[in-house]
Coordinates of all heavy atoms in Angstrom, one line a residue:
M1 N 9.4 14.7 -29.7 CA 9.0 13.3 -29.5 C 7.5 13.2 -29.0 O 7.0 14.2 -28.4 CB 9.9 12.6 -28.6 CG 10.1 13.2 -27.2 SD 11.4 12.5 -26.2 CE 10.6 11.1 -25.5
Q2 N 6.9 12.1 -29.1 CA 5.5 11.9 -28.7 C 5.4 11.7 -27.2 O 6.2 11.0 -26.6 CB 4.9 10.8 -29.4 CG 3.4 10.7 -29.2 CD 2.8 9.6 -30.1 OE1 3.4 8.8 -30.7 NE2 1.5 9.7 -30.2
C3 N 4.4 12.4 -26.6 CA 4.2 12.3 -25.2 C 3.4 11.0 -24.9 O 2.4 10.7 -25.6 CB 3.4 13.5 -24.7 SG 2.8 13.4 -23.0
D4 N 3.9 10.2 -23.9 CA 3.2 9.0 -23.5 C 1.8 9.2 -22.9 O 1.0 8.4 -22.8 CB 4.0 8.2 -22.5 CG 5.2 7.4 -23.2 OD1 5.2 7.5 -24.5 OD2 6.0 6.8 -22.6
I5 N 1.7 10.4 -22.3 CA 0.5 10.8 -21.6 C -0.7 11.3 -22.5 O -1.8 10.8 -22.5 CB 0.7 11.8 -20.5 CG1 2.0 11.5 -19.7 CG2 -0.5 12.0 -19.6 CD1 1.9 10.3 -18.8
C6 N -0.4 12.3 -23.3 CA -1.4 12.9 -24.1 C -1.3 12.6 -25.6 O -2.2 12.9 -26.4 CB -1.5 14.5 -23.9 SG 0.0 15.3 -24.6
G7 N -0.2 12.1 -26.0 CA 0.0 11.7 -27.4 C 0.4 12.8 -28.3 O 0.7 12.6 -29.5
Q8 N 0.5 14.0 -27.8 CA 1.0 15.1 -28.7 C 2.5 15.0 -28.9 O 3.2 14.4 -28.1 CB 0.7 16.5 -28.0 CG -0.8 16.8 -27.7 CD -1.5 16.9 -29.0 OE1 -1.1 17.7 -29.9 NE2 -2.6 16.2 -29.1
H9 N 3.0 15.6 -30.0 CA 4.4 15.6 -30.3 C 5.1 16.8 -29.7 O 5.8 17.5 -30.4 CB 4.6 15.4 -31.8 CG 4.2 14.1 -32.3 ND1 5.1 13.1 -32.5 CD2 3.0 13.6 -32.6 CE1 4.5 12.0 -32.9 NE2 3.2 12.3 -33.0
T10 N 4.9 17.0 -28.5 CA 5.5 18.2 -27.8 C 6.3 17.9 -26.6 O 6.6 18.7 -25.8 CB 4.3 19.2 -27.3 OG1 3.4 18.4 -26.6 CG2 3.6 19.8 -28.5
A11 N 6.7 16.6 -26.5 CA 7.5 16.2 -25.4 C 9.0 16.4 -25.7 O 9.5 16.2 -26.8 CB 7.2 14.7 -25.1
R12 N 9.7 16.7 -24.7 CA 11.2 17.0 -24.7 C 11.8 16.3 -23.6 O 11.2 16.1 -22.5 CB 11.5 18.5 -24.6 CG 11.0 19.3 -25.7 CD 12.2 19.9 -26.5 NE 11.8 20.9 -27.5 CZ 11.0 20.6 -28.6 NH1 10.6 19.4 -28.7 NH2 10.7 21.5 -29.5
T13 N 13.1 15.9 -23.8 CA 13.8 15.3 -22.7 C 14.8 16.3 -22.1 O 15.5 17.0 -22.7 CB 14.7 14.1 -23.2 OG1 13.8 13.2 -23.8 CG2 15.4 13.4 -22.1
R14 N 14.7 16.4 -20.7 CA 15.6 17.3 -20.0 C 16.4 16.4 -19.1 O 16.0 15.3 -18.6 CB 14.8 18.2 -19.0 CG 14.0 19.2 -19.7 CD 13.6 20.3 -18.7 NE 12.8 19.9 -17.6 CZ 13.0 20.1 -16.3 NH1 14.1 20.8 -16.0 NH2 12.2 19.7 -15.4
R15 N 17.7 16.8 -18.8 CA 18.5 16.0 -17.9 C 18.4 16.6 -16.5 O 18.7 17.8 -16.4 CB 20.0 16.0 -18.4 CG 20.1 15.3 -19.7 CD 20.1 13.8 -19.6 NE 20.1 13.1 -20.9 CZ 20.4 11.9 -21.0 NH1 20.8 11.2 -20.0 NH2 20.4 11.3 -22.2
V16 N 18.0 15.8 -15.6 CA 17.8 16.3 -14.2 C 18.6 15.5 -13.2 O 19.0 14.3 -13.5 CB 16.4 16.4 -13.8 CG1 15.6 17.3 -14.7 CG2 15.8 15.0 -13.8
T17 N 18.8 16.0 -12.0 CA 19.4 15.3 -10.9 C 18.3 14.8 -10.0 O 17.5 15.6 -9.6 CB 20.5 16.1 -10.2 OG1 21.5 16.5 -11.1 CG2 21.1 15.4 -9.0
R18 N 18.3 13.5 -9.7 CA 17.3 13.0 -8.8 C 17.9 12.4 -7.6 O 19.0 11.8 -7.7 CB 16.4 12.0 -9.5 CG 15.4 12.5 -10.4 CD 14.2 13.1 -9.6 NE 13.2 13.7 -10.4 CZ 12.1 13.1 -10.9 NH1 11.9 11.9 -10.6 NH2 11.2 13.8 -11.6
C19 N 17.2 12.5 -6.5 CA 17.7 11.9 -5.2 C 17.0 10.6 -4.9 O 15.8 10.5 -5.1 CB 17.4 13.0 -4.1 SG 18.0 12.5 -2.5
F20 N 17.7 9.6 -4.5 CA 17.1 8.3 -4.2 C 17.5 7.9 -2.8 O 18.5 8.3 -2.3 CB 17.5 7.3 -5.2 CG 17.1 7.6 -6.6 CD1 17.8 8.4 -7.5 CD2 15.8 7.2 -7.1 CE1 17.4 8.7 -8.7 CE2 15.4 7.5 -8.3 CZ 16.2 8.2 -9.2
G21 N 16.8 6.9 -2.3 CA 17.1 6.4 -0.9 C 16.8 7.4 0.2 O 16.2 8.4 -0.1
E22 N 17.3 7.0 1.4 CA 17.1 7.9 2.5 C 18.1 7.7 3.6 O 18.8 6.7 3.6 CB 15.7 7.8 3.1 CG 15.4 6.4 3.5 CD 13.9 6.2 4.0 OE1 13.0 6.8 3.4 OE2 13.7 5.4 5.0
G23 N 18.3 8.7 4.4 CA 19.3 8.6 5.5 C 20.7 8.4 5.0 O 21.1 9.0 4.0
A24 N 21.4 7.4 5.6 CA 22.8 7.1 5.1 C 22.8 6.5 3.8 O 23.9 6.3 3.2 CB 23.4 6.2 6.2
S25 N 21.7 6.0 3.2 CA 21.6 5.4 1.9 C 21.2 6.4 0.8 O 20.8 6.0 -0.3 CB 20.7 4.2 1.9 OG 21.2 3.3 2.8
T26 N 21.2 7.7 1.1 CA 20.8 8.7 0.1 C 21.9 8.8 -0.9 O 23.0 9.0 -0.6 CB 20.5 10.0 0.8 OG1 19.6 9.8 1.8 CG2 20.0 11.0 -0.2
F27 N 21.5 8.8 -2.2 CA 22.4 9.1 -3.2 C 21.7 9.8 -4.4 O 20.5 9.8 -4.4 CB 23.1 7.8 -3.7 CG 22.2 6.9 -4.5 CD1 22.2 6.8 -5.8 CD2 21.3 6.1 -3.7 CE1 21.3 6.0 -6.5 CE2 20.5 5.2 -4.4 CZ 20.4 5.1 -5.8
L28 N 22.5 10.5 -5.2 CA 21.9 11.2 -6.3 C 22.3 10.5 -7.6 O 23.4 9.9 -7.7 CB 22.5 12.7 -6.4 CG 22.3 13.6 -5.2 CD1 23.1 14.9 -5.4 CD2 20.9 13.9 -5.0
I29 N 21.4 10.6 -8.6 CA 21.7 10.2 -9.9 C 21.7 11.5 -10.8 O 20.6 12.1 -10.8 CB 20.8 9.1 -10.5 CG1 20.8 7.9 -9.6 CG2 21.3 8.7 -11.9 CD1 19.8 6.8 -10.1
E30 N 22.8 11.8 -11.4 CA 22.8 13.0 -12.3 C 22.4 12.6 -13.7 O 22.6 11.5 -14.1 CB 24.2 13.6 -12.3 CG 24.7 14.1 -11.0 CD 26.1 14.7 -11.0 OE1 26.9 14.1 -11.6 OE2 26.2 15.8 -10.4
E31 N 21.9 13.6 -14.4 CA 21.6 13.5 -15.9 C 20.5 12.5 -16.2 O 20.6 11.8 -17.2 CB 22.9 13.1 -16.6 CG 24.1 13.9 -16.3 CD 24.3 15.1 -17.3 OE1 24.1 14.8 -18.5 OE2 24.7 16.1 -16.9
V32 N 19.6 12.3 -15.3 CA 18.5 11.4 -15.5 C 17.6 12.0 -16.6 O 17.2 13.2 -16.5 CB 17.6 11.2 -14.2 CG1 16.5 10.3 -14.5 CG2 18.5 10.6 -13.1
P33 N 17.3 11.3 -17.7 CA 16.4 11.9 -18.7 C 15.0 11.9 -18.3 O 14.3 10.9 -18.2 CB 16.6 10.9 -19.9 CG 17.1 9.6 -19.3 CD 17.8 9.9 -18.0
L34 N 14.5 13.1 -18.0 CA 13.1 13.3 -17.6 C 12.4 13.9 -18.8 O 12.8 14.8 -19.5 CB 13.0 14.4 -16.5 CG 11.6 14.8 -16.0 CD1 10.9 13.7 -15.3 CD2 11.7 16.1 -15.2
V35 N 11.3 13.2 -19.2 CA 10.5 13.7 -20.3 C 9.4 14.7 -19.8 O 8.7 14.4 -18.9 CB 9.7 12.5 -21.0 CG1 9.0 13.0 -22.2 CG2 10.8 11.4 -21.4
T36 N 9.4 15.9 -20.4 CA 8.4 16.9 -20.0 C 7.7 17.2 -21.3 O 8.2 17.3 -22.4 CB 9.1 18.1 -19.4 OG1 10.0 18.7 -20.3 CG2 9.7 17.8 -18.1
C37 N 6.4 17.5 -21.1 CA 5.5 17.8 -22.2 C 4.9 19.2 -22.1 O 4.4 19.5 -21.0 CB 4.4 16.7 -22.3 SG 3.2 17.1 -23.5
A38 N 5.0 20.0 -23.2 CA 4.5 21.3 -23.2 C 3.0 21.4 -23.3 O 2.3 22.3 -22.9 CB 5.1 22.1 -24.3
S39 N 2.4 20.3 -23.8 CA 0.9 20.3 -24.0 C 0.2 20.0 -22.7 O -0.7 20.7 -22.3 CB 0.5 19.3 -25.0 OG 1.0 19.7 -26.3
C40 N 0.6 18.9 -22.0 CA -0.2 18.5 -20.8 C 0.5 18.8 -19.5 O 0.0 18.7 -18.5 CB -0.5 17.0 -20.9 SG 1.0 15.9 -20.8
G41 N 1.8 19.3 -19.7 CA 2.5 19.7 -18.5 C 3.1 18.5 -17.7 O 3.7 18.7 -16.6
E42 N 2.9 17.3 -18.1 CA 3.4 16.1 -17.4 C 4.9 16.0 -17.5 O 5.5 16.4 -18.5 CB 2.8 14.9 -17.9 CG 1.3 14.7 -17.6 CD 1.1 14.5 -16.1 OE1 2.0 13.9 -15.4 OE2 0.0 14.8 -15.6
G43 N 5.5 15.5 -16.4 CA 6.9 15.1 -16.4 C 7.0 13.7 -16.0 O 6.5 13.3 -15.0
Y44 N 7.7 12.8 -16.8 CA 7.7 11.4 -16.4 C 9.0 10.8 -16.8 O 9.7 11.3 -17.7 CB 6.5 10.7 -17.0 CG 6.4 10.7 -18.5 CD1 7.0 9.7 -19.2 CD2 5.8 11.7 -19.2 CE1 7.0 9.7 -20.6 CE2 5.7 11.8 -20.5 CZ 6.3 10.7 -21.2 OH 6.3 10.7 -22.6
L45 N 9.3 9.6 -16.3 CA 10.4 8.9 -16.7 C 10.0 7.7 -17.6 O 9.0 7.0 -17.2 CB 11.1 8.3 -15.4 CG 11.6 9.4 -14.4 CD1 12.1 8.7 -13.1 CD2 12.7 10.2 -15.0
A46 N 10.7 7.5 -18.7 CA 10.3 6.4 -19.6 C 10.6 5.1 -18.9 O 11.4 5.0 -18.0 CB 11.2 6.6 -20.9
A47 N 9.9 4.1 -19.4 CA 10.1 2.7 -18.8 C 11.5 2.3 -18.8 O 12.0 1.7 -17.8 CB 9.2 1.7 -19.6
E48 N 12.2 2.5 -19.9 CA 13.6 2.1 -20.0 C 14.5 2.9 -19.0 O 15.5 2.4 -18.5 CB 14.2 2.2 -21.4 CG 14.2 3.7 -21.9 CD 14.7 3.7 -23.4 OE1 14.5 2.8 -24.1 OE2 15.3 4.8 -23.7
T49 N 14.1 4.2 -18.7 CA 14.8 4.9 -17.7 C 14.6 4.4 -16.3 O 15.6 4.2 -15.6 CB 14.3 6.4 -17.7 OG1 14.5 6.9 -19.1 CG2 15.1 7.3 -16.8
L50 N 13.4 4.0 -16.0 CA 13.1 3.3 -14.7 C 13.9 2.0 -14.6 O 14.4 1.7 -13.5 CB 11.6 3.1 -14.6 CG 10.7 4.4 -14.5 CD1 9.3 4.0 -14.6 CD2 11.0 5.1 -13.2
R51 N 14.0 1.3 -15.6 CA 14.7 0.0 -15.6 C 16.2 0.3 -15.3 O 16.8 -0.4 -14.5 CB 14.6 -0.8 -16.9 CG 13.4 -1.7 -17.0 CD 13.6 -2.7 -18.1 NE 13.8 -2.1 -19.4 CZ 12.7 -1.8 -20.1 NH1 11.5 -2.0 -19.7 NH2 12.9 -1.2 -21.3
E52 N 16.8 1.3 -15.9 CA 18.1 1.7 -15.7 C 18.4 2.2 -14.3 O 19.4 1.9 -13.6 CB 18.6 2.8 -16.7 CG 20.0 3.2 -16.6 CD 21.0 2.1 -16.9 OE1 20.6 1.0 -17.4 OE2 22.2 2.3 -16.6
I53 N 17.4 2.9 -13.8 CA 17.5 3.4 -12.4 C 17.5 2.2 -11.4 O 18.3 2.2 -10.4 CB 16.3 4.4 -12.1 CG1 16.6 5.7 -12.8 CG2 16.2 4.6 -10.5 CD1 15.4 6.7 -12.7
E54 N 16.7 1.2 -11.7 CA 16.7 0.0 -10.8 C 18.0 -0.7 -10.8 O 18.5 -1.2 -9.8 CB 15.6 -0.9 -11.2 CG 14.2 -0.5 -10.8 CD 14.1 0.0 -9.3 OE1 14.6 -0.8 -8.5 OE2 13.7 1.1 -9.1
R55 N 18.6 -0.7 -12.0 CA 20.0 -1.3 -12.2 C 21.0 -0.5 -11.4 O 21.8 -1.1 -10.7 CB 20.3 -1.3 -13.7 CG 20.7 -2.6 -14.3 CD 20.8 -2.4 -15.8 NE 21.7 -1.3 -16.3 CZ 23.0 -1.4 -16.4 NH1 23.6 -2.5 -16.1 NH2 23.7 -0.4 -16.8
I56 N 20.9 0.8 -11.5 CA 21.9 1.6 -10.7 C 21.6 1.5 -9.2 O 22.6 1.4 -8.5 CB 21.7 3.1 -11.1 CG1 22.1 3.3 -12.6 CG2 22.5 4.0 -10.2 CD1 21.8 4.7 -13.2
R57 N 20.4 1.5 -8.8 CA 20.0 1.4 -7.4 C 20.6 0.1 -6.8 O 21.0 0.1 -5.6 CB 18.5 1.4 -7.3 CG 17.9 1.8 -6.0 CD 16.5 1.3 -5.8 NE 15.5 2.2 -6.4 CZ 15.0 3.2 -5.8 NH1 15.4 3.5 -4.6 NH2 14.1 3.9 -6.3
A58 N 20.7 -1.0 -7.6 CA 21.2 -2.2 -7.0 C 22.7 -2.2 -6.7 O 23.1 -2.9 -5.9 CB 20.9 -3.3 -8.0
K59 N 23.4 -1.3 -7.3 CA 24.8 -1.2 -7.1 C 25.4 0.2 -7.1 O 26.5 0.4 -7.5 CB 25.6 -2.1 -8.2 CG 25.2 -1.8 -9.6 CD 26.0 -2.7 -10.5 CE 25.5 -2.5 -12.0 NZ 26.2 -3.3 -12.9
W60 N 24.6 1.1 -6.5 CA 25.0 2.5 -6.5 C 26.3 2.7 -5.7 O 27.0 3.6 -6.0 CB 23.9 3.4 -6.0 CG 23.5 3.2 -4.6 CD1 22.5 2.4 -4.0 CD2 24.1 4.0 -3.5 NE1 22.5 2.5 -2.7 CE2 23.4 3.5 -2.3 CE3 25.0 4.9 -3.3 CZ2 23.7 4.0 -1.0 CZ3 25.3 5.4 -2.1 CH2 24.7 4.9 -0.9
R61 N 26.5 1.9 -4.7 CA 27.7 2.1 -3.8 C 29.0 1.9 -4.6 O 30.0 2.6 -4.4 CB 27.7 1.2 -2.6 CG 26.7 1.7 -1.5 CD 26.7 0.8 -0.3 NE 25.5 1.0 0.5 CZ 25.4 1.9 1.4 NH1 26.3 2.8 1.7 NH2 24.2 2.0 2.1
E62 N 29.0 1.0 -5.6 CA 30.1 0.7 -6.4 C 30.3 1.8 -7.5 O 31.4 2.2 -7.9 CB 30.0 -0.6 -7.1 CG 29.9 -1.8 -6.3 CD 29.2 -3.0 -7.0 OE1 29.6 -3.3 -8.1 OE2 28.3 -3.5 -6.4
L63 N 29.1 2.2 -8.0 CA 29.1 3.2 -9.1 C 29.4 4.6 -8.8 O 29.8 5.4 -9.6 CB 27.8 3.1 -9.9 CG 27.4 1.7 -10.5 CD1 25.9 1.8 -11.0 CD2 28.3 1.5 -11.7
S64 N 29.0 5.0 -7.5 CA 29.0 6.4 -7.2 C 30.4 6.9 -6.9 O 31.3 6.2 -6.5 CB 28.1 6.6 -6.0 OG 28.5 5.8 -4.9
V65 N 30.6 8.2 -7.0 CA 31.8 8.9 -6.6 C 31.3 10.0 -5.6 O 30.2 10.5 -5.7 CB 32.5 9.6 -7.7 CG1 33.1 8.6 -8.7 CG2 31.6 10.6 -8.5
E66 N 32.2 10.2 -4.6 CA 31.9 11.2 -3.5 C 32.0 12.6 -4.1 O 33.1 12.9 -4.7 CB 32.8 11.1 -2.3 CG 32.5 9.8 -1.5 CD 31.2 9.8 -0.7 OE1 30.8 11.0 -0.4 OE2 30.7 8.8 -0.5
K67 N 31.0 13.4 -4.0 CA 31.1 14.8 -4.4 C 30.6 15.7 -3.2 O 29.6 15.3 -2.6 CB 30.3 15.1 -5.6 CG 30.8 14.6 -6.9 CD 30.0 15.2 -8.1 CE 30.5 14.6 -9.4 NZ 29.7 15.1 -10.5
S68 N 31.2 16.8 -3.1 CA 30.8 17.7 -2.1 C 30.1 18.9 -2.8 O 30.7 19.5 -3.7 CB 32.0 18.2 -1.2 OG 31.6 19.4 -0.5
M69 N 28.9 19.2 -2.4 CA 28.2 20.3 -3.0 C 27.3 21.1 -2.1 O 26.8 20.5 -1.1 CB 27.4 19.9 -4.3 CG 26.3 19.0 -3.9 SD 25.4 18.4 -5.4 CE 26.5 17.1 -5.9
P70 N 27.1 22.4 -2.3 CA 26.2 23.1 -1.4 C 24.8 22.7 -1.7 O 24.4 22.5 -2.8 CB 26.5 24.6 -1.8 CG 27.1 24.5 -3.1 CD 27.8 23.2 -3.3
V71 N 24.0 22.6 -0.6 CA 22.6 22.2 -0.7 C 21.7 23.2 0.0 O 22.1 23.6 1.1 CB 22.4 20.8 -0.1 CG1 20.9 20.4 -0.1 CG2 23.3 19.7 -0.7
V72 N 20.7 23.6 -0.6 CA 19.7 24.5 0.0 C 18.4 23.7 0.1 O 18.0 23.0 -0.8 CB 19.4 25.7 -0.9 CG1 18.4 26.6 -0.2 CG2 20.7 26.5 -1.1
R73 N 17.7 23.8 1.3 CA 16.4 23.2 1.4 C 15.3 24.1 1.0 O 15.4 25.3 1.4 CB 16.2 22.8 2.9 CG 15.0 21.9 3.1 CD 15.0 21.2 4.4 NE 15.3 22.2 5.5 CZ 15.4 21.9 6.8 NH1 15.4 20.6 7.1 NH2 15.6 22.8 7.7
F74 N 14.4 23.7 0.2 CA 13.3 24.5 -0.3 C 12.6 25.1 0.9 O 12.2 24.4 1.9 CB 12.4 23.7 -1.1 CG 11.3 24.5 -1.7 CD1 11.5 25.2 -2.9 CD2 10.1 24.7 -1.1 CE1 10.5 25.9 -3.5 CE2 9.1 25.5 -1.7 CZ 9.3 26.1 -2.9
G75 N 12.4 26.4 0.9 CA 11.6 27.1 1.9 C 12.5 27.7 3.0 O 12.1 28.4 3.9
D76 N 13.8 27.5 2.9 CA 14.8 28.0 3.9 C 15.2 29.5 3.5 O 15.9 30.1 4.3 CB 16.0 27.1 4.0 CG 15.7 26.0 5.0 OD1 14.6 25.9 5.5 OD2 16.6 25.2 5.2
A77 N 14.9 30.0 2.4 CA 15.3 31.3 2.0 C 14.5 32.3 2.9 O 13.3 32.2 3.0 CB 15.0 31.6 0.5
P78 N 15.2 33.3 3.4 CA 14.5 34.3 4.3 C 13.6 35.2 3.5 O 13.8 35.4 2.3 CB 15.7 35.1 5.0 CG 16.8 34.9 4.0 CD 16.6 33.6 3.4
Ligands
LIG1 ZN1 1.6 15.4 -23.0

């Protein structure tokens, strides 16, 4: 697909997990489509993805399910 930043047809969509909010309002959205481009190295969210994230953000407490998972903080590896 075409990159919105450089216009080359080298963009691909990857599914990533993103963290939103902070403190007690922190939640994750899984499978967020992140567009990454091999030509310019940019990674960005499409406008429609951002709109969907705003929709989710407005009612994430109803939509979310509790999951327990191990977490590592970057830089904590000895
Ligand atoms: Zn690009």
Side-chain angles (χ1 to χ4, degrees):
M1 58 190 274
Q2 187 171 13
C3 174
D4 282 358
I5 313 292
C6 70
Q8 298 295 309
H9 289 265
T10 49
R12 294 248 186 295
T13 302
R14 293 197 297 132
R15 296 286 173 157
V16 300
T17 298
R18 279 285 174 97
C19 187
F20 297 89
E22 57 184 37
S25 298
T26 305
F27 67 102
L28 301 175
I29 305 180
E30 295 181 316
E31 312 263 322
V32 178
L34 175 73
V35 182
T36 55
C37 176
S39 294
C40 66
E42 287 293 333
Y44 61 91
L45 300 172
E48 61 182 31
T49 304
L50 291 169
R51 272 198 300 277
E52 181 64 10
I53 287 171
E54 284 313 306
R55 235 168 54 82
I56 293 170
R57 200 200 275 275
K59 50 182 175 181
W60 68 268
R61 284 180 199 274
E62 301 154 51
L63 296 170
S64 58
V65 292
E66 292 288 333
K67 284 189 185 179
S68 164
M69 66 181 84
V71 178
V72 179
R73 189 166 52 185
F74 185 86
D76 277 0

